[in-house]
């Protein structure tokens, strides 16, 4: 096995964090190895002591974003090509939950008297998932156009089926005559902002995690509840 001593080197997670920042900001195609040196204030060539290529840098950035330990990887890290990283991401995606609350609501709808609880369960599981995986999701969103196979691994295999299911559920529960898909998607976007985008929005710094999670549980129900109200006279 190829091994390199870590003596005198920074922890690999620092290199992965710098790579994650660069790929998230610039995408895969525009990120250069010299950007990592600039991010960490070291010489451009120093990054090659940690990873052998930009592809290897993206690999450890994705693993780091997914919360996977890099401690046992020998340095400099090498990967054959991006297909190896896509396979790793596919394995991560397949390990993610398959939305038990949403699945239960589709298969065994609650009585209308329990709609608030049903909706809160769906919103909460979405919030908790996004809050736990947001850094990897942002990375995949930013680089998917540069690495088309990521769209298959994430967007087509995971995100698209979820959107289909939640729009189906919302349409069954919505009693109004508004655009159900647009309303469902707006609820999802609100939850996504609370769970993900809020974390990088300086204007949202005062919102606590508890407040964000509680707000997310009300997003979808507020949309559904509006359709249950009698018209104003």
């Amino acid at each position: 096995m190829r091994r390199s001593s870590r003596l005198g080197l920074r922890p690999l997670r620092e290199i992965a964090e710098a790579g994650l920042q660069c790929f998230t900001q610039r995408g895969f195609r525009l990120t250069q190895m010299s950007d990592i040196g600039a991010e960490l204030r070291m010489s451009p060539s120093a990054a090659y002591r940690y990873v052998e290529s930009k592809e290897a840098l993206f690999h450890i950035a994705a693993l780091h974003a997914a919360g996977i330990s890099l401690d046992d990887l020998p340095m400099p890290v090498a990967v054959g090509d991006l297909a190896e990283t896509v396979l790793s991401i596919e394995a991560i995606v397949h390990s993610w939950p398959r939305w038990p609350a949403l699945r239960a609501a589709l298969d065994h709808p609650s009585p209308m008297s329990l709609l608030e609880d049903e909706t809160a369960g769906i919103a909460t599981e979405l919030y908790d998932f996004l809050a736990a995986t947001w850094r990897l999701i942002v990375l995949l969103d930013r680089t998917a156009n540069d690495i088309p196979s990521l769209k298959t691994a994430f967007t087509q295999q995971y995100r698209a089926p979820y959107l289909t299911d939640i729009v189906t559920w919302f349409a069954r529960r919505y009693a109004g005559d508004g655009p159900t898909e647009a309303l469902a998607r707006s609820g999802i976007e609100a939850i996504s902002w609370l769970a993900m985008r809020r974390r990088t929005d300086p204007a949202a710094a005062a919102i606590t995690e508890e407040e964000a999670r509680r707000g997310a549980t009300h997003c979808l129900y507020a949309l559904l509840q509006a359709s249950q109200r009698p018209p104003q006279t």
Side-chain angles (χ1 to χ4, degrees), residues 119-137:
T119 307
I122 291 170
T124 299
E125 76 176 359
L126 175 59
Y127 179 91
D128 289 345
F129 167 75
L130 294 176
T133 61
W134 73 274
R135 301 192 79 199
L136 179 59
I137 291 174

Side-chain angles (χ1 to χ4, degrees), residues 6-152:
R6 292 175 182 260
L7 187 63
L9 294 178
R10 302 187 189 197
L12 192 56
R13 63 180 175 274
E14 291 187 14
I15 311 303
E17 177 65 29
L20 178 59
Q21 296 293 333
C22 290
F23 288 123
T24 299
Q25 293 168 7
R26 301 179 178 90
F28 181 81
R29 185 175 58 84
L30 295 180
T31 295
Q32 304 299 323
M33 290 293 286
S34 58
D35 296 328
I36 308 306
E39 186 80 17
L40 295 172
R41 298 183 180 179
M42 61 186 187
S43 66
S45 61
Y48 289 98
R49 299 177 66 192
Y50 302 90
V51 292
E52 289 190 351
S53 63
K54 184 168 75 169
E55 289 75 13
L57 178 64
F58 183 78
H59 187 82
I60 65 170
L63 296 181
H64 176 63
I68 296 173
S69 173
L70 307 175
D71 293 343
D72 294 333
L73 292 180
M75 294 192 292
V77 177
V79 297
D81 53 31
L82 284 173
E84 184 174 336
T85 304
V86 172
L87 286 174
S88 295
I89 291 173
E90 285 181 341
I92 292 168
V93 169
H94 283 303
S95 73
W96 284 344
R98 296 296 161 176
W99 313 108
L102 177 58
R103 189 77 263 150
L106 285 169
D107 294 342
H108 306 287
S110 300
M112 288 302 293
S113 60
L114 298 178
L115 179 60
E116 183 174 5
D117 291 340
E118 178 183 277
T119 307
I122 291 170
T124 299
E125 76 176 359
L126 175 59
Y127 179 91
D128 289 345
F129 167 75
L130 294 176
T133 61
W134 73 274
R135 301 192 79 199
L136 179 59
I137 291 174
V138 170
L139 175 66
L140 298 180
D141 280 343
R142 184 64 180 86
T143 57
N145 286 334
D146 294 339
I147 311 172
S149 52
L150 287 180
K151 289 186 176 180
T152 300

Side-chain angles (χ1 to χ4, degrees), residues 170-208:
F170 190 92
R172 292 177 182 175
R173 292 307 210 176
Y174 185 68
D177 57 358
T180 54
E181 181 171 359
L183 289 170
R185 294 290 292 265
S186 68
I188 295 169
E189 286 302 313
I191 295 171
S192 298
W193 184 87
L194 288 165
M196 297 170 53
R197 313 296 176 183
R198 167 184 64 86
R199 301 175 190 279
T200 56
D201 185 348
I207 301 175
T208 67

